[in-house]
Amino acid sequence: MKKGERRKLELLKIAYRLFISKGYENTSVDEIIEEAGIAKGTYYYYFESKEQMLEDVIEMMIDTEVETARLVLGAPIPVEQKIVGIISSIRPTQEESPIEGLLMKPENALMHKKTKQKIIEKLVPLLTEVVEEGISRGVFDCENIPERVRFLLILSSETFDESLFGENDITVFIDMMEKLLGAKAGTMGFVRMLIASENNDEKEK
Amino acid sequence: MKKGERRKLELLKIAYRLFISKGYENTSVDEIIEEAGIAKGTYYYYFESKEQMLEDVIEMMIDTEVETARLVLGAPIPVEQKIVGIISSIRPTQEESPIEGLLMKPENALMHKKTKQKIIEKLVPLLTEVVEEGISRGVFDCENIPERVRFLLILSSETFDESLFGENDITVFIDMMEKLLGAKAGTMGFVRMLIASENNDEKEK
DNA sequence: TATTTTTTCGACCGTTAGTCGATTTTTTAT
DNA sequence: ATAAAAAATCGACTAACGGTCGAAAAAATA
């Protein structure tokens, strides 16, 4: 690893920490370089702009999550479960996650948005593969898979990341998922249990 | 109407126009006050911050759009067209568009999010009514209408507000809309024409 | 050792949102 | 009508920020 690479990574890590603890908007370039002990010029030698840096930081953040999703892809489980596994990797197991929660803060709206977009972008090909597998097994039946899968990801992220969803939302989501993928009614019904139990865990706190 | 009220409205109107033509970020407070012929201090006598002012401007804009949507509701046209009319009021006729465009700027992510949420919130009851009318006419057939309608609004706003959608997105959207509302296949097909022509208009520029 | 490339430096810039005490205008009370 | 109080206006000034640039130091290469 070259020296330049190391420096860039160092800056990325500092920024990551600062962005998360104080929000992107509230972190100035000056703070970052002060903490790193470098000059303004050096910073701009590595990043063409602050926003570009945010993009890089996000890339770092989501790599782990996408990795998890990729594991699911290869696992020896039914396609229906793979779907759910991958979809829920958007929403990391609540509490622990440093990312979730802090992204919810209003001052991180931009980060939040960009993160979601990037994750979806990376998850679409994975989910597409799963759906194709499902089709070949006769579980699903549809065309324009990437688009359908993207809709699914958008909906799940928009619906479930604020914790303001009810029974009916789940019902409709399942119904829509089945119809979108051309599955037989009831195929995805098991999802209800999963979501419901997770949701209860959260409410108990 | 008091003098203060009038002045505030005057500033709001100037800002509205400038925001539309140049974008929020690219409009400085100095420009606004220059056009209004007042001093900095006067501006800050009426608005506690530029962002607060944006909030006010947005409030104004939303009201107009919801008003338009409400007109569609009472119009003597088929329910299928009402649906489309209301949904596309999220995305006002491109170029003019007050909200879209200026809200797309990364810096306005928070505002964008807030605006979308607010509009969707206000549009759900209207669309629900239309769908109920559709059911009574035998065009649609479904339960949990508000939730379904919300999904529809979320999807359309997420899909169509970035102008990065293709033929397949439209196909899937229509398919999903029909299935979500329990309409006969082909019922909403006419939407394709509308979106396609709009999209072309934009590309021609 | 000489030269070229990579990395670092930090003073400086332009722009911008926002502040503040002073001043003028308008309203209210006597 | 006049004095006092409140509302509105002014504009110079500040502080912060993202970003630039030419020069210098460090590292790699010949």
Side-chain angles (χ1 to χ4, degrees):
Chain A
M1 185 184 257
K2 286 173 194 161
K3 193 184 176 197
E5 286 290 317
R6 249 188 294 124
R7 168 123 293 174
K8 189 164 184 177
L9 202 70
E10 179 202 352
L11 292 174
L12 245 19
K13 280 183 181 173
I14 290 173
Y16 170 81
R17 185 158 36 78
L18 288 176
F19 287 175
I20 279 189
S21 67
K22 330 178 28 182
Y24 168 73
E25 299 288 341
N26 303 325
T27 303
S28 67
V29 173
D30 285 312
E31 286 179 85
I32 298 174
I33 66 177
E34 194 213 49
E35 188 148 331
I38 63 169
K40 209 61 165 293
T42 307
Y43 175 91
Y44 280 96
Y45 178 74
Y46 289 103
F47 304 97
E48 70 177 29
S49 72
K50 191 190 169 191
E51 201 179 329
Q52 177 55 54
M53 185 196 214
L54 172 60
E55 217 99 19
D56 292 350
V57 168
I58 290 176
E59 200 78 31
M60 248 179 111
M61 280 171 27
I62 66 180
D63 272 353
T64 0
E65 300 189 21
V66 174
E67 214 48 52
T68 313
R70 206 173 303 252
L71 285 181
V72 174
L73 183 67
I77 52 174
V79 279
E80 297 94 319
Q81 284 177 35
K82 283 187 187 178
I83 299 265
V84 178
I86 291 179
I87 285 184
S88 44
S89 72
I90 289 186
R91 205 196 172 216
T93 42
Q94 61 265 22
E95 49 191 332
E96 268 303 313
S97 169
I99 297 177
E100 213 63 24
L102 288 158
L103 279 182
M104 295 312 267
K105 286 199 276 188
E107 67 260 31
N108 290 344
L110 177 60
M111 231 203 301
H112 190 196
K113 181 184 170 177
K114 286 198 166 165
T115 305
K116 263 197 299 200
Q117 270 178 353
K118 274 223 169 95
I119 290 190
I120 289 180
E121 202 176 285
K122 294 205 169 186
L123 251 35
V124 163
L126 301 192
L127 251 192
T128 300
E129 237 178 274
V130 176
V131 172
E132 272 163 357
E133 186 191 332
I135 291 179
S136 75
R137 290 193 198 283
V139 184
F140 303 135
D141 177 25
C142 60
E143 289 179 326
N144 305 120
I145 308 173
E147 288 82 5
R148 298 184 118 86
V149 143
R150 217 179 64 103
F151 277 25
L152 225 46
L153 287 168
I154 288 173
L155 268 187
S156 81
S157 93
E158 288 295 319
T159 308
F160 300 130
D161 84 9
E162 336 260 325
S163 287
L164 299 167
F165 58 94
E167 272 298 313
N168 288 347
D169 288 300
I170 302 177
T171 305
V172 174
F173 183 77
I174 292 174
D175 178 48
M176 206 220 42
M177 186 154 63
E178 290 170 353
K179 283 174 178 162
L180 206 55
L181 300 179
K184 289 197 195 93
T187 311
M188 306 302 287
F190 71 100
V191 175
R192 164 171 272 109
M193 318 292 235
L194 295 177
I195 301 179
S197 72
E198 259 190 38
N199 210 24
N200 282 340
D201 288 354
E202 213 150 87
K203 279 179 186 165
E204 277 169 17
K205 288 184 303 191
Chain B
M1 189 184 253
K2 286 171 196 163
K3 192 184 176 194
E5 285 292 315
R6 248 189 295 125
R7 168 124 289 175
K8 189 165 185 178
L9 202 69
E10 179 201 351
L11 292 175
L12 243 21
K13 280 183 181 174
I14 290 175
Y16 171 82
R17 183 159 37 78
L18 288 176
F19 288 176
I20 287 178
S21 67
K22 324 181 31 179
Y24 171 71
E25 288 297 325
N26 304 325
T27 304
S28 66
V29 173
D30 285 316
E31 288 178 83
I32 298 174
I33 66 177
E34 193 213 52
E35 188 147 332
I38 61 169
K40 208 60 166 289
T42 307
Y43 175 93
Y44 281 96
Y45 177 74
Y46 288 103
F47 303 98
E48 70 178 30
S49 73
K50 191 189 170 191
E51 200 178 324
Q52 176 55 54
M53 185 196 216
L54 175 60
E55 210 118 15
D56 291 351
V57 170
I58 287 178
E59 200 73 35
M60 255 176 103
M61 298 192 290
I62 290 183
D63 281 350
T64 330
E65 298 192 18
V66 173
E67 212 49 51
T68 312
R70 206 174 301 255
L71 284 182
V72 173
L73 183 67
I77 53 174
V79 280
E80 298 94 320
Q81 285 178 33
K82 283 186 186 177
I83 299 264
V84 178
I86 291 179
I87 284 184
S88 46
S89 71
I90 289 186
R91 204 198 171 213
T93 43
Q94 62 263 24
E95 51 188 331
E96 267 300 316
S97 168
I99 294 185
E100 223 51 36
L102 77 88
L103 285 179
M104 291 311 287
K105 299 280 167 60
E107 292 80 9
N108 295 345
L110 176 59
M111 226 43 87
H112 189 195
K113 188 180 169 178
K114 276 189 188 170
T115 306
K116 264 200 298 202
Q117 271 177 355
K118 247 181 213 163
I119 292 191
I120 290 181
E121 202 176 286
K122 293 197 175 186
L123 251 34
V124 163
L126 300 193
L127 252 192
T128 300
E129 234 176 276
V130 176
V131 172
E132 272 163 357
E133 185 192 333
I135 292 179
S136 77
R137 291 193 198 284
V139 183
F140 303 135
D141 177 24
C142 61
E143 289 181 328
N144 304 120
I145 307 173
E147 287 83 6
R148 297 184 117 88
V149 142
R150 220 181 62 109
F151 276 24
L152 226 44
L153 288 168
I154 288 175
L155 266 188
S156 80
S157 93
E158 289 294 319
T159 307
F160 301 129
D161 84 9
E162 338 258 326
S163 286
L164 300 167
F165 58 95
E167 271 296 315
N168 289 346
D169 286 302
I170 302 177
T171 306
V172 174
F173 183 78
I174 292 174
D175 178 48
M176 204 218 44
M177 186 155 63
E178 289 170 354
K179 284 174 177 161
L180 205 55
L181 300 180
K184 287 198 196 92
T187 311
M188 306 302 288
F190 71 99
V191 175
R192 163 171 273 110
M193 318 292 235
L194 295 178
I195 301 181
S197 70
E198 260 190 37
N199 211 26
N200 283 340
D201 287 353
E202 215 150 88
K203 278 177 187 165
E204 278 170 22
K205 287 184 303 192

